[in-house]
Amino acid sequence: MAEEEKSKGNAAFSSGDYATAINHFTEAINLSPTNHVLYSNRSAAYASLHRYKKALSDAKKTIELKPDWSKGYSRLGAAYIGLSQFKDATDAYTKGLEIDPNNETLKSGLADASSRPRASNPFVDAFQGPEMWTKLTADPGTRVYLQQDDFVKTMQEIQKNSNNLNLYMKDKRVMQALGVLLNVKLSGGGGEDTEMKEADDDDDDSLRKEPEVEMEMESMEELSEEEKEKKERKEKALKEKEEGNCAYKKKDFERAIEHYRKAMELDDEDISYLTNRAAVYLEMGKFEECIEDCDKAVERGRELRSDFKMIARALTRKGSALVKMAKCPKDFEPAIETFQKALTEHRNPDTLKKLNDAEKAKKELEQQEYFDPKIAEEEREKGNGFFKEQKYPEAVKHYSEAIKRNPNDVRAYSNRAACYTKLGALPEGLKDAEKCIELDSSFTKGYSRKGAIQFFMKEYEKAMETYQEGLKHDPKNQELLDDVKRCVEQINKMNRGDLTPEELKERQAKAMQDPEVQNILSDPVMRQVLVDFQENPKAAQEHMKNPMVMDKIQKLVSAGIVQVR
């Protein structure tokens, strides 16, 4: 049952329904509280909803249950990044790599965590991003410094490693540059008060705020005619972008494209105009134009050293266009590669989902191309020949090929289940038998295969339920009727206690691995019921009137945990 809830959770997660995924993983955890994979999966779902504290708690639980499992540290690192605890994230990824040095996910996570600032520091942040050079060029006071090689090298070193800022605090040029970048007006002498005004925030996909009138007038006085014109052009470009965004929301795509084109003509240093126009082309089904704009955005973004998130956005958009154009499995390869590149720039849940969807679509197309019922039947017949010769591994090989050629043929699954049973590979056989029933619920041979495997596993109650389910579809099936009788005989034998000490011990050990039995025995109410059955006959009679209690007692009796004398 826990496995079933886990499968439902995985399906919900893959479809982007993270809240439903969390519910299913929680149910699975309730049924199997020591399964580390369930906590790991729920941690990923919480992280996708930006509930990083809960993601962190589950990640820690994953590691507690399975400290030598590298994925636990990947979950831990992702949660810490979401909480902006980058040092802890770095430590988590490092520990994971000690366990699995070649794990690409951990390597990517470590690189991401290491590149993040440890704490928000406006003095450090001012030197980050391509806009630093634009601001320094626009200011008359710092423009001349850019002609000095040692100053440019100093600024590059600060950009590369923010800790280097402390080494150059005494350099007046660096301090003047800091004032420009922070929009801070610094007085000339040392020891005098410093007057500061906050700069307006800038965001890739939103309009810049209008500056205060006093600041605007003061700034314009200091700028040359060329710089004033450049600033005005940027402001006009942002207004065009806003108009384009409004048109896009109204599905007026041609007008949106025209506004983004004008914005690009006014300002070629903001790649968001390109990525936004690419989004319009994607919506219109003009995939070639979308890809062209995305490529331009990436190339220009590299030149400008734009925010890595903007580069990732362009790559993701290109990948989406490539997916739309894909007609065969090979067509998905460039899309998958593009999504992977985007994730190395910025690990975004939406991009990761698109990557998973593309890989799934590629696999489905490959299966469709490989589909050939005629060859499948030939392979199945070859498998039957080897089965009759008791060459079961060879038979499995041919049945597997038959399934690849025709995944909907229940007979191939049924025959392979029989092979696995002969080879003692009972879990694999059970999986094939269940697949038979999933594909065709009226295929009685599937119930016969599944019940036989459960019988061999000494799960007689489950086997009998399986046989009875098959009889609903074919009430006169003699094979199923005989199998039910065999199960009844074994169950009665166990209930009478006609088992050797070794058989009883084996049966009880197997039962204790059953999550349902574990839940019954850990229930305080059921523990008191069991005590009452031994010590308080009157209370026991009252319990027997409760059908839910008696179902649980019967489960314990069938499992050999409780014996009736």
Side-chain angles (χ1 to χ4, degrees):
M1 283 185 277
E3 194 63 32
E4 182 180 349
E5 291 294 335
K6 174 189 168 187
S7 298
K8 291 179 180 177
N10 289 342
F13 185 92
S14 298
S15 66
D17 189 355
Y18 304 120
T20 300
I22 289 170
N23 291 336
H24 286 301
F25 291 139
T26 301
E27 286 296 322
I29 287 170
N30 291 336
L31 294 168
S32 182
T34 59
N35 188 330
H36 62 283
V37 175
L38 300 176
Y39 288 98
S40 170
N41 290 5
R42 191 170 69 176
S43 175
Y46 276 132
S48 297
L49 290 174
H50 308 295
R51 297 167 67 180
Y52 296 114
K53 288 186 178 180
K54 288 187 174 291
L56 180 65
S57 176
D58 274 358
K60 287 181 176 178
K61 185 65 177 180
T62 302
I63 293 171
E64 177 189 329
L65 292 171
K66 188 75 171 173
D68 59 345
W69 194 48
S70 62
K71 185 172 281 190
Y73 296 94
S74 177
R75 301 295 190 215
L76 186 66
Y80 275 133
I81 284 181
L83 294 168
S84 298
Q85 298 178 22
F86 304 120
K87 184 179 183 304
D88 291 328
T90 300
D91 293 341
Y93 287 123
T94 302
K95 288 179 181 177
L97 286 168
E98 289 174 2
I99 297 169
D100 186 0
N102 297 319
N103 189 297
E104 292 300 325
T105 302
L106 289 168
K107 288 180 182 179
S108 174
L110 178 60
D112 187 15
S114 301
S115 67
R116 305 293 186 96
R118 291 294 181 263
S120 179
N121 185 334
F123 292 90
V124 171
D125 294 344
F127 292 90
Q128 305 302 315
E131 62 273 15
M132 180 190 82
W133 302 103
T134 304
K135 291 180 180 179
L136 294 179
T137 303
D139 186 86
T142 55
R143 188 188 313 137
V144 294
Y145 296 150
L146 295 176
Q147 299 175 8
Q148 302 171 10
D149 292 339
D150 64 326
F151 175 77
V152 173
K153 186 177 180 182
T154 296
M155 300 303 289
Q156 288 173 339
E157 288 178 358
I158 293 173
Q159 269 202 324
K160 191 178 297 183
N161 185 350
S162 56
N163 293 327
N164 289 333
L165 176 61
N166 297 323
L167 302 176
Y168 302 105
M169 293 294 283
K170 293 182 180 180
D171 189 327
K172 292 181 180 180
R173 297 173 302 172
V174 173
M175 293 306 295
Q176 186 175 345
L178 180 62
V180 171
L181 296 174
L182 290 174
N183 199 14
V184 175
K185 189 174 181 180
L186 297 174
S187 55
E192 295 182 13
D193 291 339
T194 301
E195 182 184 351
M196 299 182 66
K197 290 184 180 180
E198 292 185 5
D200 294 308
D201 290 336
D202 228 357
D203 188 272
D204 289 322
D205 282 329
S206 64
L207 288 176
R208 293 164 172 79
K209 299 176 184 176
E210 286 292 328
E212 297 291 339
V213 175
E214 296 78 14
M215 292 174 62
E216 179 67 16
M217 290 175 63
E218 179 183 1
S219 174
M220 292 295 283
E221 288 174 3
E222 297 176 356
L223 298 178
S224 65
E225 287 300 320
E226 181 182 346
E227 291 162 346
K228 287 179 184 178
E229 183 183 353
K230 184 177 181 179
K231 186 171 183 179
E232 288 173 357
R233 288 171 68 87
K234 281 184 175 289
E235 290 172 355
K236 289 179 181 178
L238 289 169
K239 289 180 180 178
E240 290 292 343
K241 176 182 175 182
E242 182 181 17
E243 290 293 326
N245 292 346
C246 291
Y248 175 78
K249 291 176 183 177
K250 294 177 182 178
K251 304 291 184 181
D252 189 351
F253 298 135
E254 293 296 343
R255 190 162 68 89
I257 288 173
E258 181 61 21
H259 283 298
Y260 293 138
R261 183 190 62 76
K262 289 180 181 179
M264 284 183 275
E265 290 177 353
L266 290 164
D267 178 15
D268 69 343
E269 294 182 350
D270 187 341
I271 65 171
S272 69
Y273 309 142
L274 276 167
T275 57
N276 283 14
R277 189 172 71 175
V280 179
Y281 282 137
L282 183 64
E283 193 77 14
M284 295 175 71
K286 295 184 176 182
F287 305 127
E288 294 286 356
E289 290 87 341
C290 173
I291 291 170
E292 183 180 352
D293 271 1
C294 290
D295 286 338
K296 288 179 182 178
V298 173
E299 182 181 356
R300 186 63 176 146
R302 303 278 191 216
E303 294 172 0
L304 297 169
R305 289 186 283 187
S306 299
D307 187 344
F308 58 87
K309 292 182 181 178
M310 291 295 295
I311 303 292
R313 183 179 302 161
L315 288 168
T316 299
R317 205 148 281 166
K318 177 183 177 180
S320 298
L322 289 168
V323 166
K324 294 284 188 181
M325 296 171 67
K327 295 179 180 179
C328 65
K330 195 171 183 180
D331 291 344
F332 280 95
E333 292 176 4
I336 291 169
E337 183 181 354
T338 303
F339 287 135
Q340 289 171 338
K341 286 180 180 178
L343 288 170
T344 61
E345 295 288 339
H346 175 56
R347 194 158 186 84
N348 180 284
D350 181 58
T351 305
L352 184 60
K353 182 181 181 301
K354 289 178 184 292
L355 171 62
N356 292 335
D357 289 345
E359 290 174 336
K360 182 180 178 182
K362 177 175 180 283
K363 185 177 180 181
E364 288 176 352
L365 274 181
E366 286 173 342
Q367 290 177 342
Q368 290 175 16
E369 286 189 352
Y370 205 65
F371 182 80
D372 191 325
K374 184 178 179 181
I375 296 178
E377 183 61 22
E378 291 172 359
E379 290 293 330
R380 193 179 72 85
E381 287 297 335
K382 290 177 183 177
N384 290 345
F386 281 113
F387 185 89
K388 291 174 183 176
E389 296 174 12
Q390 299 184 4
K391 295 179 179 179
Y392 304 121
E394 291 84 351
V396 166
K397 179 182 177 182
H398 288 287
Y399 290 141
S400 298
E401 181 63 22
I403 289 169
K404 289 179 183 177
R405 290 290 184 177
N406 185 2
N408 299 318
D409 187 355
V410 294
R411 297 172 301 168
Y413 285 104
S414 173
N415 292 1
R416 192 170 69 172
C419 271
Y420 280 138
T421 305
K422 293 289 186 180
L423 291 167
L426 300 183
E428 290 82 356
L430 183 62
K431 186 177 179 181
D432 273 359
E434 288 174 340
K435 186 67 177 180
C436 288
I437 297 170
E438 177 189 329
L439 291 171
D440 185 357
S441 60
S442 64
F443 184 64
T444 54
K445 199 66 177 177
Y447 297 99
S448 179
R449 299 288 191 212
K450 181 179 177 181
I453 293 169
Q454 291 170 326
F455 190 92
F456 287 136
M457 296 171 74
K458 299 184 179 180
E459 296 176 348
Y460 304 121
E461 289 279 353
K462 291 182 179 180
M464 187 163 71
E465 289 175 8
T466 299
Y467 292 138
Q468 289 173 338
E469 189 66 29
L471 286 168
K472 291 179 182 178
H473 300 281
D474 186 2
K476 296 181 180 180
N477 188 297
Q478 192 59 48
E479 182 181 0
L480 291 174
L481 290 170
D482 292 341
D483 289 333
V484 168
K485 289 180 182 178
R486 285 196 305 134
C487 288
V488 171
E489 289 173 1
Q490 286 296 325
I491 292 169
N492 289 337
K493 180 181 176 182
M494 290 190 299
N495 290 341
R496 290 194 304 268
D498 295 343
L499 297 174
T500 65
E502 290 76 15
E503 289 176 329
L504 180 60
K505 187 175 181 180
E506 180 186 355
R507 180 184 171 203
Q508 290 174 338
K510 191 173 185 65
M512 290 302 294
Q513 297 175 6
D514 187 337
E516 187 177 353
V517 172
Q518 292 174 2
N519 288 336
I520 293 172
L521 294 176
S522 62
D523 184 348
V525 174
M526 284 305 300
R527 286 207 297 267
Q528 183 58 49
V529 168
L530 294 174
V531 171
D532 289 342
F533 267 86
Q534 287 183 317
E535 301 175 357
N536 190 340
K538 187 175 180 180
Q541 288 179 352
E542 289 299 316
H543 293 315
M544 291 175 69
K545 296 176 183 179
N546 187 330
M548 291 181 64
V549 170
M550 289 310 298
D551 283 344
K552 292 179 179 180
I553 292 293
Q554 184 57 47
K555 175 69 179 178
L556 296 179
V557 171
S558 300
I561 304 298
V562 173
Q563 294 184 349
V564 180
R565 300 183 184 278

